[in-house]
C-alpha cells in the first residue's frame, strides 16, 4: 500500500468519525486500526489530516466516538509498554497513537465539560485480556494509565534506549527492567554515556511532546492567585506512582546539560544533518521546567539530614523538585553550571565563519531552569557564587537584556533576566565577583569601556532604562535594587559607568519626572543609596565616581532645594505635557559601540506574543536584610504602612525609604498586560486618580539621604577648585590623581548599616512564572503547532 493510499485511509477514518451518527463500538478493531496502522505518517501529517474544526465537531456531535478514540489510543500505548514493542509495526503503532493524542488533547482541555474525562475510569475497560485479578489495576483513571505508559515507553530497549541484551533470543521484560541502568546521558549521578542513536532521540522527542501536551492542561485555566491549585498531570507523573521518576529526571537534566550545539567541533556540521539531539534537548528542558512547578507559593526546603531515607518523608511531594533540591556533589554542580553556561553563551559566540555554529533558540527555558535550580537548591546557588563562573551566566543574561530591550514581544525575557540578577544580588559574593575585569567583549551596542563586570552591568542597565521601550518602566525599581545590592562591594567604577549612574540621577531628579507619578522618587532614593554605599565602604578605589559627583554637584543641590509649593508643582507638570518622553535620551554623546554589534530592534510586525500577569512591586518581591559587622545578614522587620490608595499621602506615608505601598502591589489582583495597558492609559488621562501635593513632596523630600554626599562636596569641592586655580589645571587625570590619594576619614557621617533587599518568593511571582513559562512553551512549539488557535485561558496571544 503506497503512502498516499494509507494517508487517504487515515483521512477517510477521520471523516467517518465525524459523520457517523451511531457511536462506533470499541470492539470494532478494523475501524479503529485505520488511525494507527499507517507506516508513513509523520506528526505533521497527523496535524494536517485531523483539522481543528473536525475535532471540535466530533467533541460536540459524537462525543462517545471521541471518548472511544482516546481510550483505544491509550490502550495501544499501554499494550506497547507491556510488550516492549518488539516489532517495527508495534513501534509505528505507538508513534501514531502518540501523535493522535498530541493532536486531540488540547481540544479536550479547552472544553470544561471534557476536562475531567481523562480522570474518570472507563467502565468495563480493564486492560485487554486481563484476568479478574487485575480488577483494581483496570480501574485506573485513563490519565494515570497514559502517564505510566509514556514513562515505561521512555525506557523501552531498542525503541527509546540502547538495548543491553546479550544474544538474539533474550527479550527484556519491561516489568522488571531497572530503568536506572538506561539513563540517557552521563552527568549527574550516572557515569556511562550511551551511544548516540538518532532514531531513539526522535522517538523520545515524540513521547516527550505528548507528555508536555498532557501537562498543558494548565494553559486552559485562567490565572488565579490561589497557588494551591495543582496540575493533576504533573502531580501524578512526579509522584512515587511513577517508578521511572528518578531515571527520567536524571535523563532530562543530563541530556540538557551535556548538549553541545557546536556540532561536535566541526564547523558547518549542523548544516549537513539535522541535529535530532537539539529537538530532544528542547523538549527535555520544557518538560523539566513545567514538571518543577512547586505546590504552593513558597518553596518547601527540607532540612538536610545525613541520610536520604529520612528526608523522603520531609521532602516535597513532587519528586522532580525533591531530586533537584537534593543534588549536592560538587562535580554534579560543576557539570550543570558549565552546561547551562555553555548553552546560554551559544547565541553570543560570534565566530569568524558566519553560521559556523548552530544558534540555539531555547535560552528562555534555560533561564527558567537556572532560576529553579537556584530557588530550590540553595547549595547550588552558593556553588554558583563561589567562583567567577557566575560571570559566565551574568554576561549572556546582560547580552539578552540589552538585545531584547526594544522588543515588546520579549518583555518576559527581560523580566526573567532581571529576576535572576535580583536573586543573585542578594548574596554578598555576587557583588564581590563583579570586580573581575571584563575582557571577553561580547559584541553589544554599548559604549566601549575598560573596566570590570560591574561596569558592564551598569552600562547595560543604563541602556535599558534610557533606550528600552515604555513597557519596561515597572522594571526600573528592580534594576536599581540590583545596583544598590552590589554597590557596597564595588572596588572601582570606570569613568563610563560613573557617568551613566549620574546621568540616571539627573534624569530621575527632574521636577516633572518626580511629580508625574507616586512612585518615581523611589528611583532617586535607590541611586543615592548606591552612591552612599560606595562612598562609605569603597571610597579608596572610586575616584572616578567621586569626580563625576563633583562635576554634577548641581544635581544634588537642586534635589536638596526641590520646590514643593503648588505653583512649582503645576509648572513642572505643564513641562511634562510638552515632553512626553520618559527620560531625556542620553545627552552624553554615546561613544563607539562594540565591534560586530547590531542595535536592539523592535519585534517584526505579525510576531505573536503571550501576555503576562502583572508583577508585584519591589517591596513584595524583596525582603530587607541588614549586613552586620561580621558579614551575616539579619532581616529587617517591615514597617506597617497605611494601605489607603486614594489619599494624597498614601504613596509614602509611613515608609522610611524606597518602599512602595501603592495599590498596585495588591497580590490578589492579577491583570493581563492588555488590562494593565488600559489601566495605565486611563490613569494617565484622569488626573483625579493621583495628583502630587506639597505635603506629599515634603513627606519624602525630608528623608532624601543626602548628608554623606553633601559633606563630601563640602570638603572636596574647595580643594579641587584650589588645585585647578593654583596649577592652572584643566586636566582630568591630575584631578583624579589628587582624588585617588585623598581621604575623608573622620569627615563623613558614621557609615550607615548596609541594607540588602533579598528576593523572596510569593504567590504573585509564582503566578508570574507560571504564565511566563507556559507562554514560552506555547510560542516555541510551532512545528507542529500543538496549541495554536485553541481556547487558551492562562494568557492572551496577541499579534504585534
Amino acid at each position: 500500500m503506497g503512502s498516499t493510499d494509507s494517508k487517504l485511509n487515515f483521512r477517510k477514518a477521520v471523516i467517518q468519525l465525524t459523520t457517523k451518527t451511531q457511536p462506533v463500538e470499541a470492539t470494532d478493531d478494523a475501524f479503529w486500526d485505520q488511525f494507527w496502522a499507517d507506516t508513513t505518517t509523520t506528526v505533521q501529517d497527523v496535524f494536517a489530516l485531523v483539522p481543528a474544526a473536525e475535532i471540535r465537531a466530533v467533541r460536540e456531535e459524537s462525543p462517545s466516538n471521541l471518548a472511544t478514540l482516546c481510550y483505544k489510543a491509550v490502550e495501544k500505548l499501554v499494550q506497547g509498554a507491556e510488550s516492549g514493542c518488539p516489532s517495527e509495526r508495534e513501534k509505528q503503532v505507538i508513534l501514531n497513537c502518540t501523535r493522535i493524542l498530541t493532536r486531540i488533547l488540547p481540544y479536550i482541555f479547552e472544553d470544561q465539560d471534557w476536562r475531567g474525562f481523562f480522570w474518570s475510569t472507563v467502565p468495563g475497560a480493564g486492560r485487554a485480556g486481563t484476568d479478574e485479578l487485575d480488577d483494581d489495576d483496570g480501574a485506573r483513571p485513563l490519565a494515570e494509565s497514559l502517564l505510566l505508559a509514556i514513562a515505561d515507553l521512555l525506557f523501552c530497549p531498542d525503541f527509546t534506549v540502547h538495548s543491553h541484551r546479550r544474544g538474539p533470543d533474550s527479550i527484556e521484560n519491561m516489568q522488571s527492567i531497572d530503568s536506572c541502568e538506561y539513563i540517557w546521558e552521563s552527568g549527574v549521578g550516572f557515569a556511562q554515556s550511551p551511544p548516540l542513536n538518532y532514531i531513539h532521540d526522535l522517538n523520545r522527542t515524540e513521547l516527550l511532546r505528548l507528555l508536555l501536551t498532557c501537562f498543558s492542561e494548565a494553559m486552559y485555566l485562567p490565572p488565579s492567585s490561589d497557588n494551591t491549585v495543582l496540575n493533576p498531570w504533573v502531580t501524578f507523573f512526579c509522584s512515587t506512582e511513577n517508578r521511572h521518576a528518578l531515571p527520567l529526571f536524571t535523563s532530562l537534566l543530563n541530556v540538557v546539560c551535556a548538549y553541545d550545539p557546536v556540532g561536535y567541533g566541526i564547523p558547518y556540521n549542523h548544516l549537513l544533518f539535522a541535529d535530532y539531539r537539539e529537538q530532544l534537548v528542547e523538549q527535555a528542558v520544557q518538560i523539566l521546567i513545567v514538571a518543577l512547578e512547586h505546590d504552593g507559593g513558597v518553596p518547601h526546603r527540607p532540612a538536610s539530614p545525613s541520610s536520604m531515607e529520612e528526608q523522603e518523608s520531609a521532602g516535597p511531594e513532587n519528586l522532580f523538585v525533591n531530586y533537584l533540591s537534593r543534588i549536592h556533589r560538587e562535580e554534579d554542580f560543576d557539570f550543570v553550571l558549565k552546561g547551562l553556561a555553555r548553552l546560554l553563551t551559544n547565541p553570543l559566540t560570534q565566530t569568524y565563519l558566519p553560521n559556523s555554529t548552530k544558534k540555539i533558540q531555547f535560552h528562555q527555558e534555560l533561564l527558567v531552569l537556572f532560576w529553579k535550580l537556584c530557588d530550590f537548591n540553595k547549595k547550588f546557588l552558593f556553588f554558583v557564587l563561589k567562583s567567577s563562573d557566575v560571570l559566565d551566566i551574568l554576561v549572556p543574561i546582560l547580552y539578552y537584556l540589552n538585545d531584547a530591550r526594544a522588543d515588546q514581544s520579549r518583555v518576559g525575557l527581560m523580566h526573567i533576566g532581571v529576576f535572576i540578577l535580583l536573586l543573585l544580588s542578594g548574596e554578598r559574593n555576587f557583588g564581590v565577583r563583579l570586580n573581575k575585569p571584563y575582557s571577553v567583549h561580547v559584541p553589544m551596542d554599548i559604549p566601549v569601556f575598560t573596566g570590570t563586570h560591574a561596569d558592564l552591568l551598569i552600562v547595560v542597565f543604563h541602556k535599558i532604562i534610557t533606550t528600552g521601550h515604555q513597557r519596561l518602566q515597572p522594571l526600573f525599581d528592580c534594576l536599581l535594587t540590583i545596583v544598590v545590592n552590589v554597590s557596597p562591594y564595588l572596588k572601582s567604577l570606570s569613568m563610563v559607568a560613573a557617568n551613566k549612574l549620574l546621568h540616571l540621577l539627573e534624569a530621575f531628579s527632574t521636577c516633572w519626572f518626580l511629580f508625574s507619578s507616586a512612585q518615581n522618587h523611589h528611583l532617586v532614593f535607590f541611586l543615592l543609596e548606591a552612591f552612599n554605599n560606595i562612598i562609605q565602604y569603597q571610597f579608596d578605589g572610586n575616584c572616578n565616581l567621586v569626580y563625576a559627583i563633583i562635576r554634577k554637584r548641581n544635581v544634588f543641590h537642586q534635589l536638596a532645594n526641590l520646590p514643593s509649593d503648588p505653583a512649582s508643582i503645576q509648572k513642572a507638570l505643564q513641562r511634562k505635557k510638552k515632553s512626553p518622553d520618559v527620560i531625556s535620551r542620553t545627552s552624553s554623546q554615546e561613544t563607539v559601540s562594540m565591534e560586530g554589534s547590531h542595535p536592539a530592534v523592535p519585534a517584526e510586525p505579525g510576531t505573536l506574543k503571550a501576555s503576562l500577569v502583572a508583577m508585584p512591586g519591589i517591596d513584595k518581591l524583596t525582603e530587607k536584610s541588614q549586613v552586620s559587622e561580621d558579614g551575616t545578614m539579619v532581616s529587617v522587620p517591615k514597617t506597617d504602612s497605611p494601605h489607603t490608595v486614594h489619599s494624597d499621602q498614601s504613596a509614602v506615608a509611613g515608609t522610611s525609604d524606597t518602599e512602595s505601598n501603592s495599590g498596585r502591589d495588591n497580590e490578589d489582583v492579577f491583570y493581563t498586560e492588555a488590562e494593565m495597558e488600559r489601566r495605565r492609559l486611563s490613569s494617565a488621562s484622569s488626573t483625579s486618580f493621583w495628583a502630587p501635593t506639597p505635603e506629599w513632596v515634603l513627606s519624602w523630600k525630608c528623608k532624601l539621604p543626602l548628608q554623606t554626599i553633601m559633606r563630601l562636596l563640602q570638603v572636596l569641592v574647595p580643594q579641587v577648585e584650589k588645585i585647578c586655580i593654583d596649577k592652572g589645571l584643566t586636566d582630568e587625570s591630575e584631578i583624579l590623581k589628587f582624588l585617588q590619594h585623598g581621604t575623608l576619614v573622620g569627615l563623613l557621617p558614621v557609615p550607615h548599616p548596609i541594607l540588602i533587599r533579598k528576593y523572596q518568593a510569593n504567590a504573585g511571582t509564582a503566578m508570574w512564572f507560571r504564565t511566563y513559562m507556559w507562554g514560552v512553551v506555547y510560542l516555541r512549539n510551532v512545528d507542529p503547532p500543538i496549541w495554536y488557535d485553541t481556547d487558551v485561558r492562562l494568557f492572551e496571544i496577541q499579534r504585534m
Side-chain angles (χ1 to χ4, degrees):
M1 174 162 68
S3 70
T4 33
D5 289 353
S6 53
K7 284 195 181 53
L8 279 173
N9 285 348
F10 178 73
R11 182 73 195 114
K12 211 166 65 197
V14 174
I15 293 167
Q16 283 179 312
L17 197 64
T18 48
T19 51
K20 286 200 182 214
T21 43
Q22 292 303 307
V24 185
E25 287 299 323
T27 48
D28 184 352
D29 284 334
F31 175 78
W32 297 111
D33 282 347
Q34 301 174 94
F35 287 98
W36 28 83
D38 183 17
T39 51
T40 56
T41 39
T42 62
V43 68
Q44 284 78 10
D45 291 334
V46 170
F47 272 67
L49 297 168
V50 188
E54 292 181 20
I55 304 175
R56 290 187 174 118
V58 178
R59 189 182 70 195
E60 305 311 322
E61 286 138 41
S62 340
S64 71
N65 284 350
L66 182 60
T68 308
L69 178 64
C70 292
Y71 163 64
K72 296 293 283 187
V74 173
E75 184 182 52
K76 286 286 175 202
L77 292 181
V78 170
Q79 287 166 358
E82 285 174 352
S83 70
C85 316
S87 72
E88 282 311 308
R89 190 181 171 280
E90 283 169 274
K91 288 175 185 157
Q92 194 57 48
V93 166
I94 291 299
L95 290 173
N96 287 341
C97 290
T98 300
R99 293 160 187 160
I100 285 170
L101 286 167
T102 302
R103 179 63 173 141
I104 291 172
L105 274 167
Y107 297 91
I108 287 190
F109 295 151
E110 73 174 5
D111 185 321
Q112 217 175 335
D113 299 333
W114 273 87
R115 222 169 281 145
F117 167 70
F118 269 82
W119 294 97
S120 58
T121 46
V122 182
R127 305 240 171 100
T130 47
D131 316 326
E132 286 77 279
L133 296 172
D134 274 352
D135 261 354
D136 51 350
D137 205 25
R140 265 196 189 287
L142 206 51
E144 295 187 3
S145 304
L146 171 57
L147 290 170
L148 293 175
I150 294 172
D152 278 339
L153 288 164
L154 286 167
F155 293 100
C156 182
D158 279 335
F159 180 52
T160 49
V161 292
H162 200 69
S163 173
H164 295 178
R165 268 193 301 233
R166 305 274 175 274
D169 306 326
S170 54
I171 284 185
E172 283 156 299
N173 175 5
M174 284 299 289
Q175 273 45 63
S176 60
I177 212 166
D178 176 8
S179 45
C180 285
E181 293 172 9
Y182 290 89
I183 286 169
W184 302 348
E185 185 59 75
S186 64
V188 175
F190 192 70
Q192 299 97 289
S193 198
L196 271 178
N197 179 323
Y198 82 95
I199 306 268
H200 293 173
D201 276 1
L202 285 174
N203 294 343
R204 291 164 178 172
T205 303
E206 299 239 25
L207 287 162
L208 290 180
R209 188 186 291 127
L210 172 56
L211 185 59
L212 189 63
T213 309
C214 291
F215 290 169
S216 73
E217 185 184 318
M219 283 191 204
Y220 296 90
L221 304 171
S224 92
S225 49
D226 175 11
N227 237 54
T228 54
V229 183
L230 295 180
N231 181 330
W233 297 85
V234 171
T235 303
F236 180 79
F237 191 80
C238 297
S239 73
T240 48
E241 297 266 359
N242 177 2
R243 70 190 179 101
H244 304 294
L246 176 60
L248 187 63
F249 169 77
T250 311
S251 295
L252 295 170
L253 186 63
N254 291 354
V255 155
V256 172
C257 296
Y259 177 56
D260 188 350
V262 173
Y264 308 98
I266 312 163
Y268 299 104
N269 195 19
H270 65 283
L271 301 175
L272 305 180
F273 64 88
D275 183 352
Y276 299 105
R277 186 48 53 124
E278 185 185 22
Q279 297 172 15
L280 175 65
V281 171
E282 286 197 13
Q283 298 282 266
V285 72
Q286 290 175 4
I287 290 284
L288 272 176
I289 62 177
V290 167
L292 288 166
E293 174 108 56
H294 204 282
D295 20 332
V298 183
H300 172 109
R301 297 209 182 79
S304 43
S306 51
S307 74
M308 272 194 169
E309 284 68 49
E310 299 167 49
Q311 221 169 323
E312 223 33 275
S313 54
E317 297 303 296
N318 178 324
L319 291 179
F320 276 35
V321 174
N322 198 336
Y323 298 141
L324 185 78
S325 66
R326 284 173 12 200
I327 299 171
H328 60 276
R329 292 183 354 193
E330 294 260 317
E331 55 267 44
D332 288 344
F333 286 155
D334 190 59
F335 165 75
V336 170
L337 181 60
K338 292 257 191 320
L340 292 177
R342 176 176 60 247
L343 291 171
L344 285 170
T345 310
N346 160 273
L348 290 52
T349 43
Q350 289 277 10
T351 53
Y352 295 107
L353 308 166
N355 298 324
S356 65
T357 54
K358 184 185 190 73
K359 267 201 172 182
I360 60 155
Q361 303 294 324
F362 51 93
H363 47 273
Q364 299 195 80
E365 294 97 316
L366 292 166
L367 290 173
V368 176
L369 180 60
F370 179 77
W371 169 268
K372 289 185 181 271
L373 276 154
C374 292
D375 198 27
F376 292 145
N377 192 322
K378 283 296 166 248
K379 287 192 181 125
F380 177 75
L381 176 61
F382 297 137
F383 177 84
V384 168
L385 294 167
K386 205 173 69 175
S387 73
S388 54
D389 285 352
V390 66
L391 303 175
D392 298 335
I393 300 283
L394 169 75
V395 171
I397 288 178
L398 291 174
Y399 172 86
Y400 296 127
L401 290 177
N402 187 53
D403 189 53
R405 69 180 191 273
D407 180 349
Q408 295 211 17
S409 70
R410 291 195 283 169
V411 74
L413 168 61
M414 298 292 296
H415 276 78
I416 176 89
V418 172
F419 275 161
I420 289 173
L421 299 183
L422 180 64
L423 180 74
L424 296 174
S425 75
E427 308 296 334
R428 172 182 177 274
N429 264 354
F430 181 63
V432 173
R433 301 283 160 246
L434 289 179
N435 289 307
K436 188 178 176 182
Y438 172 63
S439 50
V440 258
H441 293 310
V442 169
M444 285 194 235
D445 60 326
I446 53 171
V448 173
F449 66 89
T450 306
T452 65
H453 283 75
D455 294 311
L456 175 68
L457 178 124
I458 287 167
V459 168
V460 170
F461 282 11
H462 174 269
K463 193 92 179 181
I464 293 167
I465 291 171
T466 56
T467 67
H469 60 78
Q470 299 278 343
R471 300 288 281 292
L472 297 179
Q473 261 192 289
L475 278 178
F476 292 0
D477 279 357
C478 273
L479 292 168
L480 294 187
T481 298
I482 294 163
V483 173
V484 176
N485 279 347
V486 301
S487 59
Y489 311 108
L490 305 184
K491 293 201 181 336
S492 69
L493 286 185
S494 69
M495 189 58 91
V496 172
N499 285 334
K500 296 298 179 203
L501 286 177
L502 279 141
H503 175 250
L504 288 180
L505 182 71
E506 207 172 355
F508 290 149
S509 59
T510 59
C511 290
W512 71 256
F513 185 75
L514 285 171
F515 297 161
S516 59
S517 136
Q519 313 293 322
N520 286 351
H521 62 279
H522 296 170
L523 302 172
V524 170
F525 275 84
F526 281 133
L527 284 164
L528 292 175
E529 199 177 326
F531 294 148
N532 288 342
N533 282 340
I534 294 174
I535 293 166
Q536 291 280 20
Y537 292 98
Q538 300 290 348
F539 180 79
D540 288 351
N542 273 298
C543 58
N544 288 327
L545 181 68
V546 173
Y547 179 63
I549 289 174
I550 291 173
R551 277 188 43 220
K552 291 282 186 186
R553 55 189 178 277
N554 63 321
V555 177
F556 299 96
H557 291 298
Q558 280 165 7
L559 261 177
N561 301 313
L562 188 75
S564 57
D565 57 288
S568 303
I569 292 176
Q570 278 322 108
K571 203 167 122 195
L573 293 176
Q574 288 307 313
R575 196 170 311 148
K576 176 181 192 232
K577 290 197 180 83
K578 291 195 198 85
S579 61
D581 213 16
V582 186
I583 290 165
S584 54
R585 297 308 189 206
T586 169
S587 49
S588 51
Q589 62 297 337
E590 286 284 48
T591 37
V592 272
S593 276
M594 190 66 236
E595 191 185 341
S597 69
H598 50 96
V601 288
E604 294 280 313
T607 306
L608 293 180
K609 66 170 199 142
S611 63
L612 290 160
V613 293
M615 256 331 296
I618 192 73
D619 54 329
K620 290 280 191 303
L621 274 179
T622 55
E623 190 173 51
K624 288 191 194 161
S625 300
Q626 206 165 299
V627 181
S628 51
E629 295 295 309
D630 58 357
T632 53
M633 298 218 186
V634 193
S635 78
V636 179
K638 288 209 169 184
T639 48
D640 286 329
S641 44
H643 257 265
T644 43
V645 181
H646 292 288
S647 82
D648 284 342
Q649 260 89 21
S650 72
V652 145
T655 53
S656 59
D657 69 338
T658 358
E659 301 307 78
S660 122
N661 55 354
S662 72
R664 81 176 173 123
D665 308 325
N666 184 350
E667 272 180 43
D668 311 319
V669 186
F670 290 99
Y671 303 122
T672 63
E673 284 195 40
E675 171 65 10
M676 284 171 70
E677 201 58 24
R678 280 194 293 277
R679 285 170 174 269
R680 256 203 295 281
L681 292 170
S682 66
S683 71
S685 57
S686 63
T687 42
S688 63
F689 180 66
W690 177 84
T693 63
E695 297 75 30
W696 170 77
V697 176
L698 289 168
S699 70
W700 54 261
K701 182 185 156 182
C702 64
K703 294 178 188 141
L704 284 167
L706 287 164
Q707 305 83 321
T708 301
I709 292 172
M710 290 309 198
R711 185 81 186 112
L712 172 141
L713 292 172
Q714 204 185 343
V715 174
L716 292 179
V717 170
Q719 297 182 8
V720 170
E721 283 176 343
K722 186 171 180 331
I723 293 176
C724 293
I725 293 164
D726 289 358
K727 303 194 175 172
L729 273 188
T730 49
D731 184 12
E732 221 172 65
S733 60
E734 289 290 326
I735 301 172
L736 287 170
K737 206 173 287 175
F738 162 73
L739 289 173
Q740 219 166 347
H741 299 300
T743 172
L744 291 175
V745 174
L747 295 170
L748 292 180
V750 178
H752 54 284
I754 297 175
L755 259 193
I756 301 290
R757 292 170 184 80
K758 287 171 85 84
Y759 167 82
Q760 56 166 0
N762 63 61
T765 42
M767 191 62 235
W768 185 89
F769 270 99
R770 184 180 305 162
T771 54
Y772 170 60
M773 175 177 76
W774 278 113
V776 169
V777 170
Y778 177 104
L779 293 171
R780 298 261 302 108
N781 284 275
V782 287
D783 182 26
I786 305 180
W787 300 282
Y788 186 69
D789 265 356
T790 58
D791 187 17
V792 168
R793 307 277 305 284
L794 186 62
F795 43 79
E796 292 170 31
I797 293 291
Q798 297 144 346
R799 234 174 233 294
M800 307 222 29

